[in-house]
């Protein structure tokens, strides 16, 4: 199964399904909920046998994560990568629709960053050896950038440039996407004076920003295009992206309200399913995964607990207009 991104039209909206709660519904009930809402794409952060078993035969596409603490072993030992594939992919591949394996989540920059490319390469080789040619990538945050404004100035920091050059080369050669976690919410709360709320919420900011001939009316597009710009500067002009996380919390600080969360998520869905792309990549499909399916009570108190679309009892925190 090879990952392809169409030039025109969106490949869909997905949701992150996290496990950091002691009151979450069973995986079978979660799969039933997903199917009832026509959510046909999910991302999970680690392989869990009960979850993968429940997903079997559902038709739901799955981005499967490698735990960050496993990266060093997977990078240094090809047999460890083969074991990981044989344990977490091979038993399920006939019934689970894997679309991508992510070697770590937001470990660049950081002490594990140097292990990401090696882990990706070893996992890719192991998947191919197991006749499971699933794309391999990693999920990064906006912290990889030294500069993000205006978007055309997007540039990787000096610290991460060598790492990102290697990863970009791998992704370009394989035609695999980079996964990006992009949160206008955190940009807004970090600099409320210069980031208007309506600009962060896709709420029709009448001014926006100009970047040469390109005009930005929402922060999401500006964030995405700043990473495209950074990729271009290290030879990644052909590398596509998937937005692996974006969302808005419904509680925890002044901007974190049910109303703002509902506005952000529904406007996001309308925007990415329009097929319009971003100013720098017009008409380029941008598959996007909302964070997150549930409010998770084992996360840090405050906004982190409150990104869910659903309460653990599977009632809505707010209504989301998923595409039919």
């Amino acid at each position: 199964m090879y990952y392809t991104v169409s030039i025109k039209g969106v490949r869909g909206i997905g949701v992150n399904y996290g496990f950091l709660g002691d009151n979450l519904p069973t995986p079978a009930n979660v799969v039933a909920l997903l199917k009832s809402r026509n959510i046909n794409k999910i991302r999970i952060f680690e392989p869990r046998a009960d979850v993968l078993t429940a997903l079997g035969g559902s038709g739901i596409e799955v981005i499967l994560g490698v735990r960050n603490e496993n990266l060093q072993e997977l990078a240094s030992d090809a047999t460890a990568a083969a074991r990981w594939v044989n344990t977490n992919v091979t038993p399920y591949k006939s019934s689970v629709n894997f679309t991508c394996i992510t070697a770590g989540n937001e470990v660049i920059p950081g002490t594990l960053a140097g292990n990401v490319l090696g882990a990706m390469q070893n996992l890719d080789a192991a998947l191919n050896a197991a006749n499971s040619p699933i794309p391999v990538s990693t999920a990064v945050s906006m912290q990889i950038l030294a500069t993000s404004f205006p978007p055309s100035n997007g540039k990787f920091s000096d610290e991460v440039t060598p790492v990102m050059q290697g990863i970009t080369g791998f992704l370009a050669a394989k035609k695999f996407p980079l996964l990006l976690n992009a949160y206008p919410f955190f940009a807004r709360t970090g600099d409320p004076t210069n980031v208007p709320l309506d600009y962060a919420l896709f709420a029709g900011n009448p001014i926006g920003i100009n970047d040469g001939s390109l005009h930005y009316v929402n922060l999401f597009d500006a964030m995405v295009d700043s990473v495209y710009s950074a990729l271009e500067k290290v030879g990644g002009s052909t590398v596509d992206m998937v937005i692996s996380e974006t969302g808005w919390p419904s509680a925890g600080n002044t901007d974190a309200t049910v109303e703002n969360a509902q506005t952000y998520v529904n406007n996001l869905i309308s925007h990415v399913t329009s097929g319009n792309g971003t100013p720098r990549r017009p008409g380029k499909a941008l598959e996007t995964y909302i964070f997150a399916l549930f409010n998770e009570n084992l996360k840090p108190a405050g906004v982190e607990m409150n990104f869910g679309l659903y309460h653990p009892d599977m009632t809505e925190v707010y209504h989301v207009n998923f595409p039919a």
Side-chain angles (χ1 to χ4, degrees):
M1 182 189 309
Y2 288 92
Y3 189 105
T4 59
V5 179
S6 60
I7 297 302
K8 181 70 178 177
V10 72
R11 292 194 71 244
I13 290 288
V15 178
N16 285 262
Y17 170 20
F19 309 132
L20 294 179
D22 60 13
N23 55 356
L24 298 177
T26 66
N29 286 338
V30 172
V31 170
L33 172 65
L34 295 170
K35 295 184 76 171
S36 75
R37 294 306 315 277
N38 197 37
I39 301 169
N40 58 10
K41 300 171 188 289
I42 66 164
R43 174 183 177 224
I44 58 177
F45 295 87
E46 62 180 311
R48 293 237 324 225
D50 57 343
V51 174
L52 294 173
T53 298
L55 286 164
S58 68
I60 295 170
E61 297 181 3
V62 180
I63 295 177
L64 174 62
V66 171
R67 291 174 65 89
N68 292 347
E69 52 264 41
N70 293 339
L71 289 174
Q72 186 171 4
E73 181 185 28
L74 293 174
S76 61
D77 185 357
T79 61
R83 285 196 304 272
W84 192 95
V85 169
N86 290 335
T87 300
N88 301 308
V89 175
T90 301
Y92 307 102
K93 68 178 183 179
S94 64
S95 62
V96 176
N97 190 3
F98 294 112
T99 57
C100 190
I101 307 296
T102 59
N105 182 56
E106 296 188 355
V107 298
I108 306 168
T111 57
L112 293 174
N115 297 300
V116 174
L117 179 58
M120 290 169 64
Q121 292 169 326
N122 283 344
L123 286 165
D124 178 62
L127 288 161
N128 283 295
N131 196 30
S132 303
I134 303 163
V136 179
S137 188
T138 190
V140 297
S141 74
M142 297 295 295
Q143 296 301 311
I144 59 175
L145 297 186
T147 307
S148 62
F149 183 86
S152 60
N153 282 354
K155 179 179 180 293
F156 296 130
S157 70
D158 290 344
E159 177 185 355
V160 309
T161 292
V163 170
M164 289 306 301
Q165 281 178 323
I167 289 171
T168 300
F170 172 86
L171 296 174
K174 294 285 185 174
K175 297 182 171 57
F176 295 163
L178 178 69
L179 275 61
L180 173 66
N181 299 342
Y183 286 93
F185 170 79
F186 289 118
R188 157 70 182 173
T189 57
D191 189 9
T193 301
N194 293 308
V195 181
L197 183 61
D198 55 2
Y199 185 60
L201 291 175
F202 301 90
N205 183 282
I207 301 173
I209 64 166
N210 290 315
D211 183 8
S213 63
L214 303 180
H215 184 63
Y216 290 85
V217 295
N218 68 77
L219 181 55
F220 177 85
D221 281 353
M223 295 172 80
V224 171
D225 278 358
S226 67
V227 179
Y228 274 131
S229 295
L231 286 168
E232 291 166 10
K233 291 178 175 68
V234 295
S237 60
T238 64
V239 175
D240 288 316
M241 284 198 292
V242 167
I243 305 306
S244 43
E245 291 181 29
T246 190
W248 198 282
S250 60
N253 77 11
T254 302
D255 287 330
T257 66
V258 169
E259 180 182 11
N260 285 347
Q262 184 173 32
T263 297
Y264 179 80
V265 169
N266 283 309
N267 285 345
L268 168 82
I269 292 172
S270 295
H271 180 65
V272 299
T273 58
S274 71
N276 292 333
T278 66
R280 198 170 190 88
R281 293 286 188 276
K284 174 70 72 174
L286 194 63
E287 185 167 316
T288 299
Y289 289 75
I290 299 164
F291 189 88
L293 190 56
F294 296 110
N295 284 337
E296 298 170 56
N297 68 350
L298 298 182
K299 288 193 164 185
V303 295
E304 294 291 338
M305 280 186 173
N306 291 289
F307 273 92
L309 307 181
Y310 293 90
H311 298 288
D313 65 1
M314 297 196 296
T315 59
E316 292 181 336
V317 176
Y318 53 87
H319 185 69
V320 175
N321 301 318
F322 288 106

